[in-house]
Amino acid sequence: MTNTAYPQSYYAASANPAPARPALHGEVETDVCVIGAGYTGLSSALFLLESGFKVTVLEAAKVGFGASGRNGGQIVNSYSRDIDVIERTVGPQQAQLMGRMAFEGGRIIRERVAQYQIQCDLKDGGVFAAITGKQMSHLESQKKLWERYGHTQLELMDQRRIREVVACDQYIGGMLDMSGGHIHPLNLALGEAAAVESLGGVIYEQSAAIRIDRGANPVVYTEHGKVRAKFIIVAGNAYLGNLVPELAAKSMPCGTQVITTEPLSEELASTLLPQDYCVEDCNYLLDYYRLSGDKRLIFGGGVVYGARDPANIEAIIRPKMLKAFPQLKDVKIDYAWTGNFLLTLSRLPQVGRLGDNIYYSQGCSGHGVTYTHLAGKVLAEALRGQAERFDAFAGLPHYPFPGGQLLRTPLTALGAWYYTLRDKLGF
Ligand SMILES: Cc1cc2nc3c(=O)[nH]c(=O)nc-3n(C[C@H](O)[C@H](O)[C@H](O)COP(=O)(O)OP(=O)(O)OC[C@H]3O[C@@H](n4cnc5c(N)ncnc54)[C@H](O)[C@@H]3O)c2cc1C
């Protein structure tokens, strides 16, 4: 990793004060060495500390440098592929278990925010917006599916009703999930890091793990130090590179871009999103947006397979924003940035063990704000010897992308083009 400063995002510009954390120099001994200080690593660290483990976190850049400090901030329940796909992929017992967990991540976030008094502009309410009839029928079955797993805070909306919550003419209806919502993602990560430290956990920044010696007594090496641990949790997600080659073959980093307007007038903001819900549409390559705490529109969309950084993000995303909200044509864009999430072929998380003492969770494929918080809890349970829920995830099958390292990017882009075309044609 060459550049370890935060991107010039709205989130970095409005981050709560945080201490400068030292790089690791010398040797330390710990129970668990966590690699990566995004939500997966921080949530794991918090649950482990609460269970009495000694925890050391190594972060290559800064807390929340990766997707956790750059994302759309949308608290979206369930997984990037829904429970019906899981039901078809695995046996009924495993599907039941995973279905029951699908709404837990959002609750964990709210508990963390309350327990550690994290200032991150938390708001309740998320909307899934349908552009086509097929998408609306899908939402109707999604509601029934989620209700089967006990998730009841849902409301289907017709065209008239959705216009009451979002001033966009594209939608024919949608679904409101009151246990969805939104947060300032970097401030959530910074608050969780402070919570980790308040419980005695240690976080080293600018301390990339560059090698792992596996075996009964594993050691993680950084440029200037090493950590001896009983367990290692690999939580580097799309920024991990090739540290663990077995993981790289079955996942692919992808970029997605976000822009942020200048602050809108109170009147304009309350016309666009009167209840301050966040919105994502139901397209395969979806647009997602919401208001910030200071009433800017934060709008994301698009995917760059293979995670090359686009030269002009505003030129890609602003037209999408204006298609949804032509009324913003004179509004200035103050920030534009890109970030990487990790895609798997199934779009379900890639979870498992390497030997007895190295655990990993990654690849939640675009919807990871809630899952990563759940992952931390499930990883901590596994390290405590209660691995039933961890094993439900670890049992999900994963396959390499067709085409190998060389052709996986163009082939996946081709697949996405096909699904985008189907969205456009309403199939
Ligand atoms: C632009 C964007 C918008 C998104 N919007 C949403 C959204 O609105 N809702 C939603 O649910 N999901 C969204 N996502 C996905 C979500 O943000 C991610 O799934 C989630 O944050 C992943 O968390 P993580 O901790 O697993 O990974 P990350 O947050 O990427 O953290 C990994 C960390 O590991 C560090 N690291 C990597 N390698 C090493 C190493 N060798 N040594 C030490 N440290 C290392 C990195 O520097 C990084 O800080 C979005 C993603 C992006 C990029």
Side-chain angles (χ1 to χ4, degrees):
M1 197 180 291
T2 43
N3 189 355
T4 56
Y6 289 130
Q8 293 191 346
S9 69
Y10 163 70
Y11 301 135
S14 56
N16 293 333
R21 298 178 168 93
L24 174 66
H25 284 267
E27 185 172 328
V28 297
E29 224 170 303
T30 188
D31 292 332
V32 187
C33 176
V34 175
I35 300 175
Y39 299 144
T40 303
L42 295 168
S43 179
S44 304
L46 260 180
F47 279 108
L48 286 164
L49 287 158
E50 287 168 346
S51 308
F53 286 86
K54 199 171 156 194
V55 179
T56 302
V57 181
L58 296 176
E59 166 52 51
K62 290 165 81 65
V63 166
F65 169 85
S68 302
R70 310 174 183 219
N71 62 65
Q74 309 223 353
I75 299 173
V76 184
N77 282 300
S78 194
Y79 314 107
S80 278
R81 274 287 167 87
D82 216 336
I83 314 164
D84 53 343
V85 177
I86 296 174
E87 284 173 344
R88 289 197 295 272
T89 312
V90 298
Q93 208 181 338
Q94 195 180 342
Q96 271 295 325
L97 206 52
M98 294 183 65
R100 285 203 302 272
M101 287 188 271
F103 311 101
E104 203 172 321
R107 289 200 291 275
I108 294 171
I109 293 172
R110 288 177 171 87
E111 279 159 20
R112 292 311 189 199
V113 168
Q115 189 180 2
Y116 295 104
Q117 299 185 2
I118 299 174
Q119 305 298 319
C120 62
D121 303 330
L122 172 62
K123 294 271 164 58
D124 292 336
V127 173
F128 300 95
I131 297 169
T132 65
K134 187 179 172 216
Q135 292 175 353
M136 196 60 219
S137 326
H138 176 77
L139 287 177
E140 284 157 16
S141 24
Q142 187 179 343
K143 179 169 181 280
K144 287 192 194 126
L145 177 70
W146 285 14
E147 283 170 349
R148 262 207 290 129
Y149 286 93
H151 188 54
T152 52
Q153 287 176 277
L154 304 168
E155 177 198 338
L156 284 174
M157 297 184 291
D158 61 14
Q159 193 162 27
R160 183 198 52 78
R161 172 74 179 115
I162 199 167
R163 285 291 277 111
E164 289 171 6
V165 302
V166 45
C168 173
D169 292 331
Q170 288 178 326
Y171 307 137
I172 62 159
M175 183 169 78
L176 171 63
D177 177 4
M178 281 311 291
S179 73
H182 55 105
I183 36 112
H184 183 305
L186 180 57
N187 280 340
L188 178 62
L190 292 172
E192 290 174 342
V196 163
E197 289 164 334
S198 75
L199 299 182
V202 180
I203 302 173
Y204 294 101
E205 293 186 330
Q206 311 296 338
S207 300
I210 51 178
R211 195 178 98 217
I212 302 175
D213 274 358
R214 303 186 190 185
N217 302 299
V219 185
V220 183
Y221 292 84
T222 66
E223 194 183 356
H224 302 292
K226 58 180 162 181
V227 182
R228 294 184 185 282
K230 295 187 183 108
F231 297 100
I232 296 169
I233 290 181
V234 179
N237 206 38
Y239 292 86
L240 187 64
N242 214 26
L243 183 69
V244 185
E246 302 93 310
L247 301 187
K250 294 180 182 170
S251 50
M252 174 164 66
C254 296
T256 167
Q257 292 74 44
V258 181
I259 57 175
T260 301
T261 66
E262 62 186 323
L264 306 178
S265 67
E266 199 56 54
E267 194 197 338
L268 181 54
S270 63
T271 327
L272 293 187
L273 293 159
Q275 294 79 2
D276 205 354
Y277 299 147
C278 61
V279 179
E280 66 170 48
D281 70 33
C282 298
N283 280 339
Y284 184 79
L285 295 184
L286 51 90
D287 290 343
Y288 49 94
Y289 54 86
R290 67 187 182 90
L291 293 171
S292 65
D294 61 354
K295 307 291 177 222
R296 300 162 183 272
L297 190 74
I298 299 179
F299 194 104
V303 172
V304 179
Y305 292 96
R308 284 165 294 103
D309 289 358
N312 189 342
I313 295 165
E314 187 176 330
I316 301 172
I317 307 297
R318 191 163 179 271
K320 293 173 189 282
M321 181 186 84
L322 292 183
K323 191 167 174 213
F325 297 115
Q327 56 273 52
L328 296 184
K329 69 178 181 351
D330 296 325
V331 168
K332 201 167 128 267
I333 303 301
D334 276 352
Y335 302 94
W337 67 93
T338 186
N340 297 341
F341 67 92
L342 193 66
L343 187 71
T344 61
L345 203 56
S346 65
R347 294 170 72 189
L348 289 167
Q350 191 185 9
V351 177
R353 298 176 188 79
L354 300 162
D356 295 335
N357 47 21
I358 302 180
Y359 288 68
Y360 59 87
S361 170
Q362 60 174 28
C364 29
S365 307
H367 281 153
V369 170
T370 57
Y371 165 74
T372 48
H373 284 83
L374 169 71
K377 189 172 183 184
V378 169
L379 281 159
E381 288 168 3
L383 265 61
R384 288 202 313 260
Q386 297 151 1
E388 192 194 6
R389 301 200 318 157
F390 177 87
D391 286 337
F393 283 105
L396 290 171
H398 285 283
Y399 307 97
F401 279 86
Q405 296 274 352
L406 197 63
L407 288 178
R408 65 181 186 174
T409 301
L411 286 178
T412 311
L414 192 66
W417 172 82
Y418 168 72
Y419 283 110
T420 307
L421 188 68
R422 280 166 49 117
D423 282 336
K424 282 201 175 121
L425 298 175
F427 294 158

